[in-house]
Amino acid sequence: MASSHHQPTDGRPAPPRQPDAQPSLGEILRRNGVSRRGFLKFCAATASMMALPPSMAPAIAKTLETARRPSVIWLSFQECTGCTESLTRSFAPTVENLILDTISLDYHHTLQAAAGEAAEQAREAAMQANMGEYLVVVDGSLPGPGANPGYSTIAGVSNYDMLMDTVKGAAAVVAVGTCAAFGGLPKADPNPSGAVAVQDLVKDKPVINVSGCPPVPMVITGVLAQFLTFGKLPELDQYNRPRAFFGQAIHDRCYRRPFYDKGLFAESFDDEGAKKGWCLYRLGCKGPMTYNACATMKWNGGTSWPVEAGAPCLGCSEPDFWDAGGFYKALSVPPGKPGDTLLAAGAAGAAVGLAAGVMGRRKVKAAAKAHRTVTADELEQKL
Amino acid sequence: MITPMEFLMWTKGPLFQLALTIFALGLLARLVEIFVLGRAHNYAVPRGSAVVGGLRTLYKRFHTDPGTFKSAPFDVVVGIIWHTGFIIALLLFIPHVELIKSTFGIAWPALPNPVVDAITAITLLGLLAALAHRLLHPVKKFLSTPGDYVIWAVTFLPLLTGYLAYHRVINPYPLALGLHILTVEVFLIVLPFTKLTHIFTVWLARYYNGATFGRKGVQS
């Protein structure tokens, strides 16, 4: 009984899926002590996050209650496990956490007990049992097809081969974290391992990018909840991110925004402005170019978020954020030393101007010297 | 293919350095040449101070000449509006002050963003009105060269792209910001070699004019 809906941690292939035999999400939540009230609150929050009218919350609840556990294969490539940490290390078991518990996480390096061959067998078994229906979650970038595959392998299989093989039977791919979504740190200049993002390789399956370093936990579960509820992909932005979570800039939803508009800034991390909670733009905040849900959903169960803690936004949910200039340099400040360039070029320009001026003066002097005076008589003789 | 962030870093990095180099080199070359060439020696006995006359005219040209206002009120009013707006948007917008601070090491207080936003909108309308007037006024149209229209565009685009970036009309944001910086770089590069040089030479011209008259003792 237990083996039918628990992770195959002993390495044995998972048995074929029997939807009717599995408990629904609602049953599992109740078994885990989540009240009806708590569950409905989560559904209402999910509805508002997805920019749906509140009237949709009961529909979400109804669908989620009866939803069956979809098989999820979680592939970890060139990553730091921060995304998994974000997802699992909440303060208390939350509804989000339990939602995640109820998906059939058939393969996940960090969370599964099996190792080595047994673990790989579990992945293959889950793929065969749920062909065409399972979700592939990827965290981490991977060396592209042209790069040395040796930079990252699992059980002797290159990340590239494993991704392409696993994705073949997937319903959709969710790239969790900025590394999987956009390449992230491994792809940062000079990108020694030839890292690429999932969407650079997977072209024939829908790819949802849940970026962030790490992403807000609620965003990860929200995307999964939406997939469970509607069985389809959320509306995506130009970077294939769910618009419901990545539709607005941090800057536009930041509670410190009034200080920006008034021109009140913290100039250092411990000055009067910092203590008064003024805008962190001058300390390098990338809020104006960063689209994420931090300002509205916050972190650690809604406790706080980086800007509230006094740290400028690093722009971690945006492509190439590692290479976007210094973290602590204001957004409008260029890299390098423009002042030195200006001085050097100005000096060179002054030298050119000096030379041109001197040549001009010489020309005037030479013309004055060559000037011959004529008398009226001489002119008359010429006529 | 170049990503929006690569485009932004390219415009903020190497292209900005290139634009600054051409701007500083060209401008200083032109200004220093003007200074070195100097002015023809005047052998007449001075009747007044050239310096006082020069400084006075430097200021007094801010007062609109009544005759000019009577004959071309549109040019005076719209001209003052958009020139002032341009300078405010350029020098009193918070991110611009940050850029100036990082380049020159000096900074000053900026205006609140909504104020700069409104002024930018007015400036854009002023520039559009100026273009319309140039196209509709027969004499102005006759006198306009293709270069005049190019310089109008070079002036208009930094304001427009800045306004669009601020209001997030162009997406993604790195592309919007990169486009804004790119148009400013075009402005910087052509500045020393076109009539845009007047931003700097107008002060020389005013001073020389005033100095000439001051020396002659003209009571102006």
Side-chain angles (χ1 to χ4, degrees):
Chain A
M1 167 73 188
S3 65
S4 70
H5 58 267
H6 277 209
Q7 291 171 141
T9 51
D10 55 0
R12 276 184 288 121
R17 218 159 74 113
Q18 295 169 306
D20 296 336
Q22 291 177 353
S24 73
L25 190 57
E27 286 163 7
I28 294 169
L29 286 174
R30 272 189 290 282
R31 201 180 298 159
N32 282 290
V34 174
S35 68
R36 176 84 185 149
R37 183 182 165 79
F39 177 63
L40 283 176
K41 260 176 83 178
F42 170 80
C43 292
T46 305
S48 71
M49 277 172 346
M50 293 186 290
L52 296 170
S55 57
M56 282 302 284
I60 292 173
K62 201 179 165 199
T63 321
L64 279 183
E65 282 245 292
T66 52
R68 301 291 162 190
R69 303 161 19 122
S71 172
V72 172
I73 295 173
W74 187 300
L75 301 174
S76 299
F77 295 142
Q78 292 176 308
E79 47 83 50
C80 68
T81 315
C83 296
T84 300
E85 292 283 342
S86 167
L87 198 58
T88 53
R89 291 246 174 136
S90 25
F91 274 39
T94 58
V95 178
E96 298 97 287
N97 237 331
L98 288 168
I99 292 266
L100 198 79
D101 286 346
T102 57
I103 59 175
S104 178
L105 199 53
D106 290 328
Y107 178 84
H108 188 303
H109 284 173
T110 318
L111 303 179
Q112 74 188 148
E117 285 301 315
E120 294 313 305
Q121 276 175 24
R123 178 175 64 85
E124 281 156 23
M127 283 168 60
Q128 279 162 17
N130 305 287
M131 191 54 85
E133 289 174 18
Y134 59 87
L135 269 181
V136 174
V137 179
V138 182
D139 68 328
S141 64
L142 58 159
N148 182 344
Y151 280 114
S152 183
T153 63
I154 297 164
V157 180
S158 75
N159 286 172
Y160 176 78
D161 288 342
M162 184 175 282
L163 176 73
M164 298 322 264
D165 183 46
T166 311
V167 156
K168 259 185 235 158
V173 183
V174 183
V176 166
T178 299
C179 293
F182 307 127
L185 177 60
K187 190 173 165 257
D189 190 47
N191 189 3
S193 63
V196 296
V198 171
Q199 63 184 359
D200 297 332
L201 302 172
V202 179
K203 302 290 183 191
D204 55 346
K205 300 277 177 187
V207 177
I208 311 166
N209 287 327
V210 182
S211 64
C213 190
V216 183
M218 183 82 172
V219 174
I220 307 177
T221 50
V223 169
L224 295 177
Q226 175 153 11
F227 189 78
L228 286 176
T229 313
F230 299 107
K232 62 175 186 181
L233 301 176
E235 193 197 343
L236 304 176
D237 72 357
Q238 70 231 343
Y239 291 130
N240 289 333
R241 299 179 297 197
R243 210 179 273 281
F245 305 106
F246 296 92
Q248 280 175 312
I250 296 281
H251 189 57
D252 292 342
R253 295 306 299 267
C254 182
Y255 77 104
R256 296 196 190 212
R257 176 63 182 267
F259 297 114
Y260 174 85
D261 286 334
K262 280 184 197 157
L264 297 173
F265 296 95
E267 305 285 342
S268 76
F269 284 103
D270 54 358
D271 71 351
E272 223 23 60
K275 284 169 191 160
K276 284 179 177 162
W278 289 352
C279 176
L280 302 168
Y281 182 87
R282 287 198 163 143
L283 295 175
C285 185
K286 302 293 182 291
M289 64 170 218
T290 307
Y291 289 75
N292 206 340
C294 302
T296 43
M297 290 164 65
K298 301 194 183 180
W299 286 79
N300 298 329
T303 308
S304 182
W305 60 295
V307 168
E308 194 171 334
C313 169
L314 305 182
C316 75
S317 58
E318 296 304 304
D320 304 321
F321 84 99
W322 291 99
D323 297 321
F327 281 163
Y328 304 107
K329 261 187 160 183
L331 189 55
S332 64
V333 170
K337 290 186 174 160
D340 293 355
T341 307
L342 205 63
L343 268 180
V352 171
L354 189 70
V358 168
M359 271 162 64
R361 282 184 87 116
R362 273 196 194 152
K363 210 169 154 189
V364 172
K365 270 191 184 162
K369 219 176 186 180
H371 181 72
R372 285 194 304 121
T373 49
V374 285
T375 61
D377 289 341
E378 282 170 343
L379 280 175
E380 267 186 20
Q381 276 169 15
K382 276 189 179 174
L383 283 172
Chain B
M1 205 193 77
I2 185 168
T3 66
M5 188 65 86
E6 280 165 353
F7 173 65
L8 173 63
M9 293 319 288
W10 180 65
T11 58
K12 269 173 91 168
L15 203 60
F16 185 63
Q17 301 280 344
L18 178 74
L20 275 185
T21 305
I22 295 173
F23 163 73
L25 215 152
L27 185 69
L28 261 293
R30 292 201 64 180
L31 289 181
V32 170
E33 187 188 7
I34 291 170
F35 286 128
V36 172
L37 279 173
R39 321 193 64 217
H41 195 73
N42 190 336
Y43 292 99
V45 178
R47 289 183 192 162
S49 166
V51 175
V52 171
L55 292 177
R56 189 171 53 220
T57 304
L58 208 50
Y59 166 72
K60 282 202 91 175
R61 283 283 188 276
F62 283 114
H63 296 255
T64 306
D65 169 51
T68 310
F69 183 73
K70 213 173 174 187
S71 61
F74 178 90
D75 298 76
V76 171
V77 173
V78 174
I80 287 175
I81 286 175
W82 82 252
H83 273 86
T84 313
F86 190 94
I87 291 165
I88 289 173
L90 174 67
L91 298 180
L92 298 180
F93 183 50
I94 291 156
H96 296 169
V97 174
E98 277 307 298
L99 172 65
I100 291 161
K101 193 174 158 194
S102 76
T103 308
F104 297 99
I106 47 167
W108 46 78
L111 282 176
N113 285 313
V115 177
V116 178
D117 181 33
I119 289 170
T120 307
I122 294 167
T123 309
L124 282 168
L125 291 174
L127 273 164
L128 284 172
L131 178 69
H133 199 248
R134 191 186 275 279
L135 287 167
L136 296 173
H137 195 283
V139 176
K140 273 179 145 185
K141 196 176 179 192
F142 176 74
L143 290 173
S144 296
T145 63
D148 291 326
Y149 295 106
V150 171
I151 295 306
W152 179 90
V154 166
T155 312
F156 184 76
L157 285 175
L159 278 163
L160 179 71
T161 51
Y163 189 76
L164 296 180
Y166 179 76
H167 288 281
R168 302 186 185 286
V169 179
I170 303 173
N171 277 309
Y173 191 74
L175 175 67
L177 191 57
L179 280 175
H180 175 59
I181 295 170
L182 184 67
T183 58
V184 172
E185 282 157 355
V186 171
F187 186 91
L188 280 175
I189 288 170
V190 303
L191 193 152
F193 312 106
T194 59
K195 67 176 183 178
L196 287 175
T197 320
H198 82 268
I199 296 167
F200 297 92
T201 51
V202 66
W203 314 111
L204 289 179
R206 279 190 189 184
Y207 180 82
Y208 277 162
N209 249 328
T212 305
F213 288 123
R215 197 175 189 283
K216 286 179 180 173
V218 174
Q219 299 295 309
S220 64

